[in-house]
Amino acid sequence: MFQSQPEREYALKNNNLKTAVFLISAALTVMAVLAGCGDDAAGTEITASDLEGSWLKVWTSEPYEYSPGDYADALVFDFSETEARAVFYLETVQVGGFMGNYTIGDDEITIGVTHTWNEDNELIDPEGGDGYPEWNVSDETYVFPFTFAAGGLSITTPNEDVIDLEKTAFSTIEEMALTWVSDDANEDLLVLAPEDDYYEFEWTGENWNGYGTWEASGGTLGYIRTVVDRIEIMGDDIAYSPLSWGFLHPYVLDTGSGTLTVTIKLDGDLYDIIYVEDVVTPE
């Protein structure tokens, strides 16, 4: 994601990431199956209230090619009463997406797209002068045939791929709503505040901060979804609000040891960063 290489002692843990993603996906599948044992929505009219919320898909083996040459390992589809937003992630970082207003009819979801994510502008050294990914205005229309049941939503993409999504609740979890500090000499900060879902990430190793909102998908095992409104890199302030840049971080919360392990991509590599609660000693 950035050009420089980090000078720190974090070890790259791709195997740990794959294991965590597999366990999270398996847990979500079990919950979806249990939820589906209730009333089936098949045979009834599907309305916006049935779709409202967040729907998650994780590709645990190989990344999914959602458009020619573009790959993702996770997708979150959010529906409100009238609006839809889809965000594709690869190794925790948003790489694609679209948003707009939607309607339901004849077993199809039709989205009048207002913005699409432009990943061509890759984030580079601000001293280079240009290059930040962003949301661009669009006027496309996407049609997704779908089938629906309690806990599960299957959509067929314009290129005829079928994607099975699971209903996933994201919220600010009380046990995680703390100020965390990494357990190494760098003492990088991760602030997950409950007030207004405030989020701050401070990486002292390369002198950059991210600010925005956060929510998580589970208790001890899940995903932290952050939406970054503003980034400061080497003194350069990049504002993304109101159409902001997304990240999806696998995490493990160990309440026994009081640690929060978060997978974060820094300078093109994935790191499992271990955080502990930041306890401020009174003067």
Side-chain angles (χ1 to χ4, degrees):
M1 191 166 67
F2 310 111
Q3 289 184 330
S4 60
Q5 293 296 323
E7 299 295 334
R8 60 192 304 141
E9 295 181 359
Y10 293 138
L12 181 63
K13 300 181 179 179
N14 281 315
N15 289 336
N16 288 352
L17 170 65
K18 291 180 179 178
T19 301
V21 168
F22 174 79
L23 291 174
I24 296 168
S25 181
L28 290 171
T29 300
V30 171
M31 289 189 288
V33 170
L34 292 176
C37 292
D39 295 333
D40 194 335
T44 63
E45 182 180 357
I46 304 304
T47 66
S49 61
D50 297 306
L51 292 180
E52 280 187 58
S54 299
W55 301 82
L56 173 67
K57 171 65 179 180
V58 177
W59 289 273
T60 57
S61 54
E62 296 295 330
Y64 167 65
E65 189 174 12
Y66 63 91
S67 67
D70 296 319
Y71 295 87
D73 54 25
L75 163 66
V76 178
F77 223 134
D78 292 301
F79 292 93
S80 67
E81 184 176 356
T82 60
E83 297 179 340
R85 176 187 295 205
V87 175
F88 289 96
Y89 303 89
L90 181 63
E91 294 184 334
T92 76
V93 181
Q94 179 178 350
V95 292
F98 55 88
M99 67 178 72
N101 300 313
Y102 77 96
T103 57
I104 304 172
D106 298 326
D107 297 325
E108 292 181 339
I109 300 170
T110 300
I111 301 178
V113 176
T114 59
H115 293 81
T116 56
W117 184 253
N118 178 16
E119 184 60 19
D120 292 337
N121 292 336
E122 295 182 357
L123 185 64
I124 63 173
D125 186 339
E127 295 181 358
D130 62 348
Y132 296 100
E134 60 186 354
W135 289 100
N136 289 341
V137 174
S138 175
D139 60 356
E140 301 177 75
T141 299
Y142 297 158
V143 178
F144 298 95
F146 75 95
T147 58
F148 179 86
L153 173 67
S154 295
I155 61 173
T156 301
T157 68
N159 57 1
E160 299 186 351
D161 293 330
V162 176
I163 300 178
D164 298 322
L165 301 111
E166 298 167 355
K167 190 70 173 288
T168 305
F170 284 90
S171 63
T172 51
I173 298 173
E174 181 179 356
E175 292 82 1
M176 294 174 60
L178 300 167
T179 297
W180 302 85
V181 61
S182 59
D183 67 343
D184 70 341
N186 289 303
E187 295 187 345
D188 307 322
L189 285 177
L190 176 65
V191 179
L192 303 177
E195 298 84 4
D196 299 324
D197 308 335
Y198 174 76
Y199 155 84
E200 177 181 349
F201 172 70
E202 176 183 315
W203 190 36
T204 58
E206 286 294 324
N207 189 27
W208 73 274
N209 294 5
Y211 306 91
T213 60
W214 75 282
E215 52 189 0
S217 67
T220 58
L221 190 70
Y223 293 92
I224 296 174
R225 177 167 66 168
T226 61
V227 180
V228 176
D229 295 325
R230 185 167 59 88
I231 296 175
E232 294 177 356
I233 305 176
M234 292 177 286
D236 191 27
D237 193 347
I238 307 106
Y240 281 90
S241 182
L243 304 175
S244 304
W245 195 5
F247 297 82
L248 191 70
H249 305 285
Y251 76 85
V252 177
L253 176 64
D254 188 338
T255 55
S257 62
T259 60
L260 174 65
T261 303
V262 183
T263 302
I264 294 177
K265 188 173 185 179
L266 297 168
D267 285 350
D269 290 327
L270 288 168
Y271 298 91
D272 286 343
I273 301 180
I274 300 175
Y275 292 95
V276 297
E277 183 179 355
D278 184 26
V279 179
V280 179
T281 303
E283 297 182 358

